[in-house]
Every structure is written in C-alpha cells, then in structure tokens.
Amino acid sequence: MYLSGVGRRGRSGTVSRYTFGTVGSNVVALGTVSLVTDISAEMVSAILPVYLVLGLHLSPVVYGLVDGSYAGATALLRLAGGYLADRVGKRKTVAGIGYALSAAAKLGLVVAGASAAAIGVVIAVDRIGKGLRTAPRDALITLSVPESMRGHAFGVHRTMDSAGAFTGPLVALGVLAVVGSSAGADAFNAVFFTGFCIAAVGVLLLVLFVRDHGEVRPVAGSVSLSAALSLVRAAEVRRLFLAACVLGIATIGDGFVYLLLQRREDIATGWFPLLAVGGNLAYLLLGAPLGAVADRVGRLTVTLCGYGALAVVYLLLASPVTGWPLLVITLGLYGAFYAATDGVLMALASRMLPEPLLATGISLIQTGQALAYLFSSVLFGLAWQVWGAGMATGLAAGAALLAIAITLVLLVPLASEKEARR
Amino acid sequence: MKIRTRILIAVAGVVGLAAAAIVYVGLAAAGNRDMAAAGSAGTVNLIPGPRLLVRSTADTDRGHLFTVSTADLDGPRAVSQMSCTRVYAAGGTGICLQPDNDFTTHLSVLDEQLKERRAVPLFGVASRARVSPSGRMVTWTVFVTGDSYNVGGFSTRVGILDTATGELTSTLEDYTVTVNGRPQVAADSNFWGVTFAKDDNRFFATMSTGGHRYLVEGDFVTRSVRAVRDDVECPSLSPDGTRIAFKSPVDGDPDKGWRLSALDLSTSAVTQLAETRSVDDQAAWLDDHTVAYAIPRGVGHSDIWSVPADGSGTPRLVIAEGDSPAALG
C-alpha cells in the first residue's frame, strides 16, 4: 500500500493524467543531446583499445592504467557539477560546459598523437566533462515535466541515451570501413575527428533547444555548502542515499554478467560483444514503458522489481539451467533491470529533494551508487577467485535480495510519512 | 531567438560539421588506398635463410611485410602485397594477424610462399605472435575488451595451434596451473607472450594473477603451466635455449615503463641489457647473442633496435620504420 505511494503522487498531492508519448519537448531535446553525445563517446571507446595497442604499440597493462584511474574522479566531479549547477542556478550552462569538454577531448585525441601522458590528460578531460554534466542534466529532466510524469521522462531520456550508445560502435565501424582497415594514424584520427563533429552537434543542439529552468534565481543562502551538508543530515535524503549505496553494492557489473553467460554457454568469443548488444536492446525497448508504468504503480515498486529481476539473473547464472532459453531470459531480465531502475530511481529521488538543491542531491545519490558499485565489482572479483563462479554468483543473488529488503525498510517509512503529512 | 532562427542555425551547424567529417574521412581513405597498392606478389618468401622479416610502419607501405638480408640491412628490400598488424615466422611457417573490419582479428598461418594454410578467427586485438623454431607450433596473444574483471581493466587470451595435428588451444586459461608447487584455479588469470622451445612442446609465457606477473613454463602435451619466477613479462627464448629475454616494469611499476633484461636459465642470473628506454615489446633473437625489439615513434610508427643479450654494448638502430622483427635463419 505504502509502496506505491512513494512514487505515484505529486508534490501537489494530485495524480495528474497524462498520455503515453507526451513527455515534453525539453526532455526530448535533452534526450537528443544525450543520444548524439553517446554516439560520439561510444565510437571512441570502441576503438580506443585498438588505438592504444595497435596504433601506439602500448601493451594491455598500459591501457588498464590509462583507463582505470578515472572512475573515482568522475564520481567526485559529479558532486562538484551538481553543487555548482545549484549554486549558480544555471544547470544548462554547467551541463553545456560538461558536454563541450567531452567534445573537445575527441579533438584532443587527434592532437595528443602518440604521447601516453597527453592521452591520459585528454581522457581525464573527457571524464571531467561527463562528471560535470550528469547531475545538472538529470535535474533539468526532473524540472521539465510535472512530478507525475518523471518516471516516464527519465525512461524516454535513458532510452535515447542507450540508443546512442548502441549506434556509436556501428558508426566507428562505418568510418573504419570507408577509410580502410589500417593500424596507422589516419584511420584512428578519422574516427576521432568524426566523433568530435558528432559531439559538437550535441553541444549545438543543447545550446539552441534545451531550456533552462534557472530563471528564478535561488534565494540567497538556500544554496551553500552548509545547505548541501544539511541535505545529508535530512533523514529522508540520508535514507535514500543509503538505499542507493545498498542497491549499488548488489550490482556486480556488466562485464561479469556477460562473462559468466559466455562461460556457462561456452559461446565462441567472437559472439561475445553480441551479449552486451542483447542486454542493451532489452533496455532500449523497455526503458520508456517501464518508466511510464513506474509513474502509475509506484517508482519504489518498479525499482524493487528491477532488483528482483537482477536477483533472478544472478540465480539463473548460478543455476544448472542452460541453453538458448537461459540466454534470452537472462539478457531480457538484465535489460529490464536497467530499464526499471536506472531512470526510475532518479525519478524516485527527485521527489524527496528540495528544488534549490536538486542537482546536488541527484549527484549525491548517483555518486553513492557509483562508488558502491566500484566496491562491489572488486568484492565480486575476489569472491570469484576464492570460492569460484557459482558460489560468488549465488552470494550476489543473496546480496540483491538483501538489498531489496533493506531498501524496503529504509524507504517505506518515508512513504508513510508522506502520506501522513498530506 | 525565434524557433525558426534556431532551427536554421542548427541545420547550418549540422551540415557544416558533417561536411568537415566527410572531407576528413575522404582524405584519410585516399591516403590509405595508395598504401594498399604497395608491394608486389611473390617477392617475399619465408624460406629459412640469413634474412630478416619485418612489418613496415612507413607511410608509403604501412603494414606490408618485407624481407631484407641480415648482412646488408640497408640493402634492397623485397616488399609483399600482404599486410599484417603483427607478424612472425620461423622454420618456413608464418603467422599474420590482421584486423577484420569488425574488431575481430583474422589469423593466417602461412606457408613458405605466404599462402594461407589455415585461418583462425579471433575476437580481440592482435598483441603478440610467435612460431616455434621448427615452424610446427604457432601461438598468439590477443587483447580482449569486454570481459574485464574490474572497470577499466583488460584481459588477454593466448591461443596455440599445432600445425602438424591441427590441435587448437583457444585459451591457456584452460590449462592446469601450479604456483609455488600448489595447484591454483584463478579466475583473474591472464596469459600473454608465449615463446616455444625447439622440442615443440615446452614453452614459456607470462601469467598475471593476483597482482603478480609470473614467468610460467608450460607443457603443451600435458596442458599444464607452472610459475617459474615473478616479475617477468613477454619472454623470448634464445635459439640455443639457454637464455630468456624479457621485459619487466621499472621498480615493479608499469607507470615508469619497462626494462629489457635477460635470464640465464641454468644459473637463474638476470642481466639488465644496455637499452635504457622503455621497451614494451616481446623481444626477438637475431642470433644467440643479440635481441631486437620495436621502439614506437609517433602514432603507427616505430623503429627496430637491437642490443647485445649479455648486458654489454649499446642499442643499435636495425631498421627504421618497422616492427615485428623475425630472423628467418
């Protein structure tokens, strides 16, 4: 009963009617910017390993060093981006700077040439851009639609986002096919330059078509470091933050899931990338509908169902079930997990955050989740090594179920308070 | 700003950026077409003899294989139409790794006349390639993305093909592993850089697990490897089978680059070679006293250098604009 209450009713306390498909032009504009930007980002990340190994003669260890050292930094920058956007009251500007930095980084790869140090700097700039833009962008999505439609809005945005991620590697392949396969600078630079042009289109679209909601300047004193800290002290935000961390801990990482599937089914390694494609496709198809469903039946319900799907995925991976049905069901459920949680959790969170600190709050939740996720990947790696894949996956399933229970304990009282306050 | 103005600006911007991308891609494609026409058929063969097989990194014929006399390295070159991203040859057998257009790698096992004897489709990026001295065993390392154990990690996969029996090992991860005399099952183990001994059975490779990079000695018939010592990467066995050239991270930290050394298998003594630059390559023995390796210079370019294997002397430029050196005889 309380479950559905968390996500369904708006701040005004009324359930507004809406139709599927109408999510507001600003959400579609933001979605388009994300789509275009993700094409560019995935083009580059698809060929970066090849570039480093074949183009620059660096061994995989160096690639790991270059690539691995920025995950924590991105998480912290997200906090900075969120706070900055709230502080200056210009979410579009901060997000735009983030998008522009990432676009410039694509051009930077052409300029950096063979210098591993310069490439490190360029990748850092790209991650800074990603860190800065995420929270203000999600705050803009939140403010672009009425409370009752936020799940749907995030669903549409994440669908467009992953459509871009889906297309990116294909565009990179197209460019390489036209240039002709070669381990020389020309082919790689052609991909980087094309990536820059596409990312620049994203920035242009953001500048021209995304509307900010910072017209009303924040009340003096409402956005300060102490206000941001008081956000953490607020019981409901703290509960939400803890829930996000707990849910993050229950997630072991795409790489592991696909690797386990590949090992279980002994899929030829050449088909390996298709597993990720399958999972993304399910996410793509389910993102918008599940977001809309969340607005109706409750965002907490849908989020927890998503983690339920994740637990089933882990159980299936640990079970003796095999064959193509396993493959299809697992990938479908894995995509459904993302569709039911990624944007829906943001929609759920947005309701509990004060508007002047919306971006700060969103970045806080996302950072907690991301750091917990990094931590759990390492833990899972260790568990796999010590106890073997079956045991580790079983533990992950148990962790997912436990996370659902803890989230229920943490968030259901919030729902009841909301009801009582009304 | 009116919506019409904004749409006009957007269209103009998209058209302009698209034109820039198309021009850039077109120019790159034109340059590559010239390169594809390099070399001539039948000029390169892998018949054992005092010659060096090299992959060119020059702008005019990048990727194409050429051979040159060991006695006259600046002399005339035979340039092949075939191009590879990694190549090696010994005992009349060659291995050529070439990316397909879809992030998979096409592995060709070549006969003396560069004719493909067998093709093996691989998923990943070509990293290392070797052939046993007799030409019977062929082995390769690819760098695989997508199944990293942590965010931003990497993964490698080693394959071995016995060209006499056709037996294919698609990953060394299936072999029995022994570390410090104890059997070990490690999910995070990665193998790379195999080098085969003369008997076509014994081999050496790198195995990384739990933060260590071990030199492992392997046995193809019993499908087993055992860790021999720590902190050794990309081993390369000398023709007489007495020494292993390898790279190891400076002070154990790959951030500081790699140092080339030689390990005497009978005394376990390690000698640092005179090359002080970072060498991130699997060295190739030119003879029992000299190793060669590539030093990158700009994107897609590198030079081949050599240095005595006993720690004496100074590095010498062997071939400008080349990588993947292999002494054919």
Side-chain angles (χ1 to χ4, degrees):
Chain A
M1 198 61 80
Y2 292 136
L3 277 186
S4 55
V6 171
R8 198 173 61 196
R9 286 166 209 271
R11 276 176 205 278
S12 59
T14 57
V15 179
S16 64
R17 298 292 305 165
Y18 63 88
T19 51
F20 279 85
T22 55
V23 287
S25 57
N26 215 29
V27 172
V28 173
L30 283 163
T32 312
V33 171
S34 287
L35 189 151
V36 170
T37 304
D38 252 35
I39 292 178
S40 153
E42 291 301 319
M43 279 176 76
V44 172
S45 49
I47 70 153
L48 203 57
V50 192
Y51 178 65
L52 295 176
V53 175
L54 288 183
L56 302 184
H57 294 92
L58 299 177
S59 60
V61 180
V62 176
Y63 171 69
L65 288 176
V66 172
D67 197 54
S69 42
Y70 303 109
T74 313
L76 292 175
L77 267 161
R78 214 187 307 221
L79 280 175
Y83 179 70
L84 192 68
D86 283 337
R87 182 74 204 233
V88 300
K90 288 180 174 156
R91 300 179 177 108
K92 177 180 164 180
T93 309
V94 174
I97 291 170
Y99 280 109
L101 280 178
S102 291
K106 311 293 180 287
L107 208 54
L109 279 173
V110 178
V111 179
S115 160
I119 290 170
V121 170
V122 167
I123 292 176
V125 168
D126 182 61
R127 301 296 155 94
I128 290 170
K130 190 169 171 55
L132 278 181
R133 72 183 179 240
T134 311
R137 181 202 64 203
D138 281 353
L140 278 176
I141 295 171
T142 302
L143 295 170
S144 298
V145 290
E147 212 288 324
S148 62
M149 291 179 61
R150 284 180 187 166
H152 192 196
F154 273 103
V156 168
H157 174 267
R158 295 298 197 264
T159 295
M160 295 179 81
D161 191 83
S162 50
F166 197 79
T167 320
L170 300 176
V171 176
L173 286 178
V175 171
L176 284 181
V178 171
V179 176
S181 186
S182 160
D186 324 342
F188 295 117
N189 282 343
V191 174
F192 298 148
F193 188 78
T194 311
F196 162 73
C197 291
I198 293 174
V201 168
V203 177
L204 189 66
L205 294 179
L206 176 98
V207 171
L208 291 172
F209 297 111
V210 170
R211 277 171 292 116
D212 205 343
H213 289 262
E215 296 88 357
V216 186
R217 301 284 300 173
V219 184
S222 67
V223 184
S224 61
L225 278 178
S226 65
L229 284 175
S230 72
L231 194 63
V232 191
R233 281 197 291 272
E236 53 179 29
V237 177
R238 201 167 54 219
R239 279 163 178 263
L240 197 61
F241 177 76
L242 284 176
C245 291
V246 167
L247 293 174
I249 286 274
T251 321
I252 60 169
D254 298 355
F256 281 123
V257 169
Y258 296 133
L259 181 59
L260 283 163
L261 256 188
Q262 190 237 327
R263 293 211 169 169
R264 281 289 305 277
E265 291 301 294
D266 202 19
I267 296 159
T269 42
W271 295 96
F272 185 78
L274 284 185
L275 294 178
V277 170
N280 277 332
L281 197 64
Y283 181 17
L284 203 82
L285 294 174
L286 294 170
L290 280 183
V293 167
D295 287 338
R296 292 205 171 164
V297 305
R299 288 166 197 153
L300 184 55
T301 314
V302 170
T303 301
L304 292 180
C305 284
Y307 280 91
L310 183 67
V312 176
V313 167
Y314 296 160
L315 282 176
L316 282 170
L317 289 173
S319 75
V321 184
T322 54
W324 283 99
L326 168 81
L327 208 60
V328 173
I329 293 170
T330 310
L331 290 179
L333 282 176
Y334 199 55
F337 153 67
Y338 272 113
T341 57
D342 191 18
V344 176
L345 190 65
M346 287 307 110
L348 174 69
S350 69
R351 165 139 199 248
M352 307 188 180
L353 299 166
E355 197 161 303
L357 285 168
L358 190 56
T360 310
I362 285 176
S363 65
L364 189 70
I365 306 293
Q366 289 176 343
T367 302
Q369 208 179 7
L371 291 180
Y373 167 77
L374 273 182
F375 183 61
S376 70
S377 306
V378 175
L379 277 188
F380 185 79
L382 285 173
W384 184 341
Q385 219 170 309
V386 177
W387 295 305
M391 183 68 173
T393 328
L395 284 174
L401 292 172
L402 191 63
I404 293 172
I406 295 174
T407 307
L408 273 171
V409 172
L410 282 170
L411 296 187
V412 166
L414 287 188
S416 61
E417 275 168 37
K418 288 269 170 187
E419 296 284 326
R421 222 180 281 167
R422 192 165 305 124
Chain B
M1 211 190 304
K2 274 193 195 137
I3 183 75
R4 250 188 71 185
T5 322
R6 278 185 283 163
I7 289 175
L8 275 176
I9 296 174
V11 169
V14 170
V15 168
L17 287 164
I22 289 168
V23 167
Y24 198 107
V25 171
L27 287 175
N32 256 350
R33 260 193 298 281
D34 300 340
M35 222 180 317
S40 43
T43 52
V44 170
N45 65 64
L46 305 178
I47 297 166
R51 288 168 304 140
L52 207 56
L53 173 73
V54 174
R55 171 188 177 274
S56 169
T57 66
D59 277 332
T60 46
D61 56 1
R62 186 188 318 120
H64 289 264
L65 311 185
F66 67 82
T67 51
V68 60
S69 163
T70 314
D72 183 15
L73 291 166
D74 298 322
R77 294 174 176 185
V79 182
S80 165
Q81 281 181 316
M82 176 173 277
S83 79
C84 311
T85 52
R86 194 85 201 182
V87 67
Y88 196 83
T93 303
I95 173 174
C96 167
L97 293 155
Q98 175 74 346
D100 290 329
N101 271 336
D102 53 358
F103 304 125
T104 55
T105 294
H106 181 93
L107 181 149
S108 294
V109 179
L110 307 170
D111 69 8
E112 284 183 344
Q113 299 303 325
L114 296 188
K115 253 210 211 80
E116 184 173 279
R117 283 168 63 191
R118 176 153 176 187
V120 182
L122 301 174
F123 171 65
V125 185
S127 173
R128 305 282 180 242
R130 278 296 139 108
V131 178
S132 70
S134 75
R136 174 174 162 179
M137 308 302 286
V138 177
T139 172
W140 56 89
T141 305
V142 285
F143 167 28
V144 188
T145 52
D147 63 348
S148 350
Y149 297 89
N150 284 314
V151 182
F154 72 94
S155 193
T156 54
R157 200 156 282 140
V158 158
I160 299 172
L161 174 71
D162 182 343
T163 62
T165 63
E167 187 184 349
L168 177 73
T169 294
S170 59
T171 169
L172 270 187
E173 287 165 41
D174 295 339
Y175 278 34
T176 319
V177 178
T178 318
V179 177
N180 298 328
R182 283 202 307 269
Q184 181 170 340
V185 184
D188 73 337
S189 64
N190 272 305
F191 292 88
W192 63 88
V194 173
T195 181
F196 258 95
K198 269 185 184 153
D199 64 2
D200 289 328
N201 177 48
R202 210 161 58 98
F203 63 86
F204 293 90
T206 320
M207 175 182 75
S208 84
T209 177
H212 294 268
R213 285 180 285 269
Y214 295 104
L215 171 69
V216 293
E217 185 174 351
D219 188 302
F220 183 70
V221 173
T222 62
R223 296 171 61 83
S224 62
V225 299
R226 75 184 169 89
V228 178
R229 60 185 294 147
D230 206 352
D231 230 11
V232 171
E233 282 184 60
C234 292
S236 181
L237 191 63
S238 63
D240 60 14
T242 61
R243 277 186 288 184
I244 283 178
F246 66 93
K247 67 177 175 100
S248 55
V250 176
D251 302 333
D253 177 7
D255 259 336
K256 295 184 179 170
W258 278 267
R259 186 69 195 260
L260 206 57
S261 303
L263 164 73
D264 189 312
L265 285 173
S266 55
T267 65
S268 290
V270 168
T271 311
Q272 288 204 335
L273 305 194
E275 175 60 83
T276 52
R277 289 171 293 180
S278 176
V279 176
D280 193 357
D281 193 14
Q282 184 174 21
W285 292 78
L286 296 181
D287 51 50
D288 280 330
H289 313 287
T290 321
V291 292
Y293 46 88
I295 298 272
R297 180 168 47 72
V299 182
H301 297 276
S302 61
D303 302 319
I304 297 170
W305 292 72
S306 76
V307 73
D310 60 3
S312 69
T314 49
R316 189 169 73 91
L317 180 67
V318 181
I319 302 267
E321 293 286 8
D323 66 17
S324 291
L328 292 178

